[in-house]
Amino acid sequence: GIQVEQSPPDLILQEGANSTLRCNFSDSVNNLQWFHQNPWGQLINLFYIPSGTKQNGRLSATTVATERYSLLYISSSQTTDSGVYFCAVAPRAGGTSYGKLTFGQGTILTVHP
Amino acid sequence: DAGVTQSPTHLIKTRGQHVTLRCSPISGHKSVSWYQQVLGQGPQFIFQYYEKEERGRGNFPDRFSARQFPNYSSELNVNALLLGDSALYLCASSFPAGTEVEKLFFGSGTQLSVL
């Protein structure tokens, strides 16, 4: 099956710093989503971005489908950004993914005040 | 509008028992997916239902089963519980329409502990 690798595995920042999280995947995808899991376990959908660039406030994401990677940018980080960030994909070969996503291992982000 | 709701939030069972987890999707969503998240790992796909039909199944044993009801809510059943079934069980719903046809929205999960 498709492989998803996220880096770095851990990231520690001071409030106000910027960061870039990376997601590499092993096959062509037609579905790529970024999620933030807060310390209480809630998974929040940040972006649906199988290709191109999107921005939402301090967060932005870029997926270069031809090179099989996606980047999540967090600017001016806040303590509330702490948690685990997951990239999840579905391979293009499978057609409609019907909600079946393969998740990476996540990046644990800690933002200190 | 209410988000995806799951019940119960926490559950403690003993080995060999059976468990039923419930999920109500966002109003208007017709697709429900189930995921298992073991501590320290990313969620793993278990099942997906769309319009009350199973559309996808992950690599889980037959002890795991699910169904979707006419109102699009869903149940996940696990028989003969093992210690390794202890995990956070997540339900996600989506609305297959428009350009973001498969954007998933997750519930808060059910934390299952098997003793």
Side-chain angles (χ1 to χ4, degrees):
Chain A
I2 193 167
Q3 305 297 312
V4 182
E5 185 177 310
Q6 292 186 241
S7 60
D10 297 276
L11 189 57
I12 300 174
L13 302 173
Q14 287 297 127
E15 207 166 24
N18 302 328
S19 61
T20 300
L21 282 58
R22 187 177 179 103
C23 171
N24 292 331
F25 41 93
S26 61
D27 205 347
S28 298
V29 299
N30 62 4
N31 190 339
L32 187 148
Q33 301 182 39
W34 282 96
F35 296 90
H36 173 220
Q37 190 166 40
N38 64 26
W40 297 272
Q42 176 74 52
L43 270 170
I44 306 298
N45 194 304
L46 299 175
F47 293 103
Y48 172 87
I49 186 166
S51 64
T53 297
K54 290 186 177 179
Q55 181 157 5
N56 184 4
R58 297 181 297 104
L59 273 59
S60 64
T62 295
T63 297
V64 184
T66 54
E67 298 187 23
R68 300 182 185 174
Y69 73 88
S70 183
L71 302 174
L72 177 68
Y73 305 97
I74 305 174
S75 64
S76 304
S77 59
Q78 301 175 356
T79 55
T80 52
D81 294 331
S82 296
V84 186
Y85 289 80
F86 289 104
C87 169
V89 305
R92 179 177 301 279
T96 302
S97 66
Y98 286 114
K100 179 181 180 181
L101 297 179
T102 297
F103 280 73
Q105 289 294 94
T107 292
I108 302 173
L109 175 64
T110 304
V111 181
H112 290 302
Chain B
D1 283 341
V4 179
T5 57
Q6 293 187 243
S7 63
T9 54
H10 295 83
L11 203 51
I12 299 175
K13 292 286 189 178
T14 56
R15 281 177 297 175
Q17 286 189 311
H18 163 271
V19 68
T20 297
L21 311 180
R22 295 177 174 83
C23 172
S24 292
I26 293 171
S27 177
H29 285 196
K30 300 180 179 180
S31 173
V32 170
S33 303
W34 288 96
Y35 286 78
Q36 180 197 66
Q37 186 177 22
V38 174
L39 192 63
Q41 297 183 17
Q44 268 199 293
F45 173 78
I46 309 175
F47 284 111
Q48 196 268 349
Y49 278 78
Y50 173 60
E51 288 283 18
K52 292 151 279 184
E53 289 187 14
E54 183 183 302
R55 297 301 181 113
R57 174 185 284 255
N59 188 23
F60 280 81
D62 292 343
R63 299 185 295 107
F64 288 76
S65 64
R67 55 180 175 168
Q68 187 175 33
F69 298 100
N71 66 353
Y72 302 108
S73 67
S74 178
E75 282 183 355
L76 176 69
N77 295 283
V78 186
N79 293 324
L81 285 168
L82 303 174
L83 295 179
D85 295 331
S86 296
L88 179 66
Y89 288 85
L90 295 160
C91 173
S93 76
S94 62
F95 179 54
T99 57
E100 296 190 344
V101 295
E102 295 178 81
K103 184 174 182 178
L104 294 187
F105 297 87
F106 280 87
S108 299
T110 294
Q111 184 65 54
L112 173 65
S113 298
V114 182
L115 305 179

